[in-house]
């Protein structure tokens, strides 16, 4: 079974449970809040699950800080054109309410524009309030109440259950945005597929190679403790020790204080790296590749079955570099520049990090952890193929020639 934790209003959770096929391989666990901002405090209380489903964008976005601490996927029910069109259709056919007499709070106002454009005729827009995660329930409620009190509207449409309940208390005619059944079921399927993908990666065989720095060093005690911590087992050979476990166990353990203390002891005696794959042979080969990339004993890398290099760990948990060409952009870059996939991936990560800002060769060198000369060679190869262009120059604080500034000239996403 795929266990999905649902975080939302009581009405949303109950409706989603009713929609789920009794024979489904999904098990839903409800976590109900009174206010969307309570979602953040719910995250630490979750029992073990494979994925999280939020009832909307507001509870999801206020929970992002807590979600970053987890290693499970999270999705939220997106408000799209279908939801808006169904809501407007209901109001016009059942309630006979004109658009200009409606107030509506909505996450993405552009969806409303698209729906009205699709009608192919000029219509008066309703009163729209774009909502943001930091908005209070009182602010959104006041928007609707003021328009109704002034006689400008006869109906409020809200995306937030707490706002609907507050408007009901104030005797302001209101309804909740309709969430189509198809949207809920599609979001459940999205959560399931993401959970299955994470589960398949976590179950990959992983091998950790521990190589002593000298014949006098004996890290067997640390290797045995590591195997125990990773729920695996250790073997000893002529050139060191091998720890057998799964990629999922590594992901769970690496950030823990217990592992950090053990690695400090181990790094004084040996170099370490992990590899993962569909078999122990493939995992060992990947571990050898990861080991060859380590420059210092106090850091290590993990090369998984998708040829994604993680690290250097334990400090850079989220840094990943593609060690093979997968997407068309990378393939084209590799063929024309003759650079390795790892270096191309680093340049792409650098571009995302800089967010379209101009950079110098020194900036790139610091990010890639290479010499300035190496960075200049990379820039030269990419500029000759048109993937980097000169954007200007800047004066240094010392005397000498100004430094060239560059811009990336290819898609990063």
């Amino acid at each position: 079974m795929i266990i999905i934790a649902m975080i939302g209003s009581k009405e949303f959770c109950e409706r989603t449970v009713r929609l789920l096929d009794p024979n489904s391989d999904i098990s839903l666990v409800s976590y109900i809040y009174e206010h969307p901002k309570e979602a953040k405090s719910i995250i630490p209380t979750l029992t073990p699950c494979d994925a999280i489903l939020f009832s909307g964008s507001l509870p999801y976005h206020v929970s992002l800080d807590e979600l970053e601490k987890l290693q499970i996927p999270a999705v939220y029910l997106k408000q799209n054109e279908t939801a808006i069109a169904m809501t407007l259709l209901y109001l016009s056919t059942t309630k006979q309410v004109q658009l200009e007499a409606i107030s509506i709070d909505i996450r993405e106002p552009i969806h409303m524009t698209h729906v009205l454009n699709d009608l192919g005729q000029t219509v008066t827009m309703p009163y729209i309030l774009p909502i943001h995660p930091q908005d209070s329930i009182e602010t959104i409620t006041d928007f609707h109440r003021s328009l109704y009190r002034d006689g400008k509207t006869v109906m409020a449409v809200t995306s937030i259950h707490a706002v609907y309940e507050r408007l009901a208390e104030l005797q302001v005619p209101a309804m909740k945005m309709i969430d189509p059944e198809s949207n809920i079921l599609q979001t459940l399927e999205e959560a399931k597929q993401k959970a299955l993908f994470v589960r398949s990666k976590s179950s990959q065989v992983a091998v950790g190679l521990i190589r002593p720095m000298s014949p006098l060093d004996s890290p067997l005690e640390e290797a045995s403790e590591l195997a125990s911590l990773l729920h695996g087992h250790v073997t000893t050979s002529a050139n060191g020790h091998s720890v057998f476990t799964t990629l999922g166990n590594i992901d769970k353990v690496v950030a823990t204080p217990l592992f950090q203390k053990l690695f400090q002891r181990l790094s004084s005696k040996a170099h370490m790296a992990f590899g993962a794959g569909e078999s122990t042979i493939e995992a060992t080969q990947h571990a050898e590749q990861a080991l060859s990339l380590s420059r210092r004993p106090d850091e290590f890398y993990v090369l998984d079955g998708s040829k994604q290099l993680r690290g250097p760990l334990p400090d850079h948990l989220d840094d990943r570099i593609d060690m093979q060409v997968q997407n068309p952009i990378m393939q084209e870059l590799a063929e024309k520049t003759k650079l390795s996939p790892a270096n191309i991936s680093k340049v792409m990560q650098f571009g995302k990090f800089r967010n379209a800002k101009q950079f110098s060769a020194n900036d790139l060198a610091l990010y890639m952890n290479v010499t300035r000369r190496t960075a200049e060679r990379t820039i030269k190869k990419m500029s000759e193929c048109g993937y980097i262009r000169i954007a200007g120059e800047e004066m240094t604080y010392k005397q000498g020639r100004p430094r060239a500034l560059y811009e990336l000239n290819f898609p990063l996403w």
Side-chain angles (χ1 to χ4, degrees):
M1 295 291 288
I2 300 295
I3 302 174
I4 298 178
M6 283 192 303
I7 300 179
S9 66
K10 181 179 179 181
E11 182 187 45
F12 171 81
C13 292
E14 290 178 348
R15 183 185 180 202
T16 304
V17 169
R18 289 196 302 270
L19 289 175
L20 187 66
D21 187 332
N23 298 317
S24 171
D25 55 357
I26 294 175
S27 174
L28 297 176
V29 182
S30 299
Y31 295 84
I32 297 170
Y33 58 61
E34 296 294 327
H35 187 294
K37 292 187 178 180
E38 296 171 12
K40 183 175 182 177
S41 60
I42 290 176
I43 299 296
T45 71
L46 298 181
T47 55
C49 58
D50 298 296
I52 304 172
L53 167 63
F54 291 90
S55 61
S57 61
L58 185 56
Y60 171 80
H61 283 98
V62 299
S63 305
L64 284 176
D65 289 345
E66 290 297 325
L67 290 175
E68 288 178 356
K69 302 174 185 177
L70 306 180
Q71 294 176 343
I72 56 176
V75 300
Y76 64 90
L77 184 65
K78 296 177 177 62
Q79 196 177 74
N80 57 17
E81 282 90 345
T82 303
I84 294 171
M86 287 188 65
T87 302
L88 297 181
L89 178 64
Y90 172 82
L91 285 170
S92 64
T93 57
T94 305
K95 300 293 185 181
Q96 285 79 46
V97 177
Q98 299 297 314
L99 283 179
E100 59 266 28
I102 297 170
S103 61
I104 184 168
D105 58 68
I106 189 171
R107 172 73 178 166
E108 299 288 347
I110 190 64
H111 293 323
M112 175 69 75
T113 303
H114 289 162
V115 170
L116 297 182
N117 287 343
D118 288 340
L119 294 177
Q121 55 185 340
T122 302
V123 294
T124 304
M125 292 282 282
Y127 294 91
I128 299 174
L129 175 69
I131 54 176
H132 306 93
Q134 63 270 22
D135 288 343
S136 67
I137 295 300
E138 291 73 23
T139 299
I140 302 171
T141 302
D142 286 344
F143 164 77
H144 294 291
R145 181 174 58 175
S146 298
L147 289 168
Y148 178 73
R149 183 187 57 204
D150 295 342
K152 295 179 179 179
T153 62
V154 297
M155 178 68 69
V157 178
T158 179
S159 306
I160 302 169
H161 187 79
V163 173
Y164 170 76
E165 292 187 337
R166 182 67 181 130
L167 289 172
E169 292 173 3
L170 296 169
Q171 297 185 332
V172 176
M175 67 170 285
K176 295 187 292 295
M177 184 78 73
I178 295 174
D179 291 319
E181 292 185 4
S182 59
N183 285 6
I184 296 175
L185 293 174
Q186 286 170 10
T187 308
L188 276 175
E189 184 63 22
E190 179 188 359
K192 171 186 169 181
Q193 293 303 323
K194 288 188 174 183
L196 287 172
F197 177 73
V198 171
R199 184 183 285 183
S200 66
K201 290 199 73 173
S202 296
S203 62
Q204 284 184 5
V205 176
V207 175
L209 298 181
I210 299 172
R211 298 281 165 80
M213 295 180 189
S214 73
L216 300 177
D217 292 312
S218 178
L220 178 57
E221 180 182 346
E222 289 79 8
S224 299
E225 287 184 38
L226 180 63
S228 177
L229 194 61
L230 293 171
H231 298 281
H233 69 276
V234 62
T235 63
T236 301
S237 61
N239 58 354
H241 309 285
S242 298
V243 174
F244 295 85
T245 182
T246 65
L247 187 59
N249 288 344
I250 295 172
D251 288 337
K252 293 173 185 174
V253 166
V254 165
T256 63
L258 198 59
F259 175 86
Q260 304 274 355
K261 290 179 65 175
L262 174 59
F263 181 63
Q264 283 182 355
R265 288 165 44 206
L266 181 61
S267 62
S268 66
K269 300 179 180 180
H271 292 276
M272 181 178 74
F274 286 94
E278 297 301 320
S279 66
T280 54
I281 294 175
E282 183 181 50
T284 303
Q285 290 173 343
H286 290 170
E288 291 283 4
Q289 287 180 257
L291 194 63
S292 69
L293 297 169
S294 296
R295 295 187 178 91
R296 296 159 36 186
D298 61 345
E299 64 182 29
F300 67 95
Y301 290 91
V302 178
L303 183 61
D304 66 23
S306 302
K307 288 281 190 174
Q308 273 202 333
L309 185 70
R310 310 180 189 184
L313 301 168
D315 295 330
H316 300 272
L317 292 172
D318 298 321
D319 287 4
R320 297 168 189 257
I321 298 170
D322 287 314
M323 299 298 287
Q324 67 179 4
V325 175
Q326 290 181 313
N327 65 51
I329 297 295
M330 284 188 65
Q331 186 172 1
E332 180 183 313
L333 285 166
E335 289 175 354
K336 292 186 177 181
T337 63
K338 307 304 180 186
L339 291 170
S340 69
N343 281 334
I344 292 171
S345 181
K346 286 180 181 179
V347 173
M348 294 180 78
Q349 295 279 3
F350 173 72
K352 294 175 185 177
F353 171 76
R354 295 287 296 185
N355 196 24
K357 293 179 182 177
Q358 297 173 352
F359 63 93
S360 66
N362 193 52
D363 294 328
L364 183 60
L366 289 172
Y367 185 86
M368 295 180 66
N369 194 25
V370 296
T371 65
R372 176 171 174 162
R373 189 177 183 86
T374 299
E376 287 173 341
R377 285 199 296 267
T378 300
I379 290 172
K380 184 174 184 295
K381 287 182 178 181
M382 297 190 72
S383 62
E384 287 174 348
C385 298
Y387 296 117
I388 287 180
R389 61 189 173 206
I390 297 177
E393 57 185 27
E394 67 177 356
M395 295 299 296
T396 59
Y397 291 106
K398 299 178 182 179
Q399 292 182 344
R401 298 175 59 186
R403 294 191 303 184
L405 294 176
Y406 304 95
E407 289 178 341
L408 297 181
N409 189 34
F410 61 91
L412 298 174
W413 311 98

